[in-house]
Amino acid sequence: MLLVCLVGLLVAGALVLIISVKNRATLEYGKSYGESWYLVQRNSLGANYGILSPSEALVWIEAKRWNLDYEKIHKLITCESSWNPQAKGDKGKAYGLLQFWKSTFDAYSQKYGYTNLEYTSSTHQILLAMRMISEGERANWTCAKYQTYASKG
């Protein structure tokens, strides 16, 4: 069964339309999205749009929420894991899209009061990393040492 889902959000003053075409009957926040892809229209005039994976769409929305530069966050994830949600690094200590160490993930989850985050969830890694980067904690990523993440717009 083919399902087309249209979601409209207001993020940082811009209308964001996310259109999902998928073979599943439901779309649940924080669940596995399989091979779905999303068309994101970033304003009401139809300009500045593109095809994004579910993780990329979430990064785009969270970048706007935290006033971060999406392109630089995208480069960070590309550098850290090549967008592989099961990537392992640092001799097995780092895991996932954002190559969190479990101890770092748990410590910052607790610091920010995020009690239900799962270390192995790409969605949760994105949510936590965006908050951390917005608060100046980018030094936790090797690939972030020389980038500035604040949005210029």
Side-chain angles (χ1 to χ4, degrees):
M1 179 169 141
L2 181 65
L3 171 73
V4 176
C5 179
L6 173 63
V7 179
L9 304 169
L10 187 60
V11 180
L15 177 64
V16 178
L17 296 176
I18 301 176
I19 302 169
S20 170
V21 179
K22 53 195 297 135
N23 290 321
R24 293 182 182 219
T26 61
L27 174 64
E28 297 180 45
Y29 184 75
K31 300 291 182 184
S32 172
Y33 294 101
E35 293 299 319
S36 301
W37 291 83
Y38 296 83
L39 171 65
V40 176
Q41 179 179 321
R42 297 181 181 135
N43 65 40
S44 59
L45 301 176
N48 195 17
Y49 65 90
I51 302 294
L52 303 177
S53 71
S55 292
E56 289 171 314
L58 180 59
V59 168
W60 190 86
I61 290 167
E62 290 297 306
K64 292 299 177 193
R65 175 180 177 210
W66 295 105
N67 196 31
L68 300 171
D69 185 320
Y70 167 79
E71 295 299 326
K72 290 184 179 176
I73 301 293
H74 192 281
K75 287 178 185 176
L76 171 68
I77 296 172
T78 300
C79 176
E80 291 288 341
S81 69
S82 298
W83 290 88
N84 177 356
Q86 285 87 37
K88 294 180 182 174
D90 295 339
K91 298 182 182 176
K93 293 181 183 177
Y95 179 81
L97 285 181
L98 284 137
Q99 292 294 284
F100 270 104
W101 287 25
K102 182 148 178 37
S103 58
T104 303
F105 185 90
D106 291 343
Y108 280 95
S109 294
Q110 183 177 8
K111 175 181 178 177
Y112 297 132
Y114 297 160
T115 58
N116 295 320
L117 296 187
E118 294 181 23
Y119 171 67
T120 58
S121 166
S122 294
T123 297
H124 294 172
Q125 284 202 6
I126 291 167
L127 295 174
L128 183 59
M130 300 301 261
R131 172 82 183 265
M132 290 171 65
I133 292 167
S134 76
E135 295 193 8
E137 299 290 346
R138 68 178 182 265
N140 285 285
W141 291 275
T142 305
C143 295
K145 287 184 179 177
Y146 305 105
Q147 295 185 36
T148 302
Y149 291 89
S151 179
K152 302 294 184 207

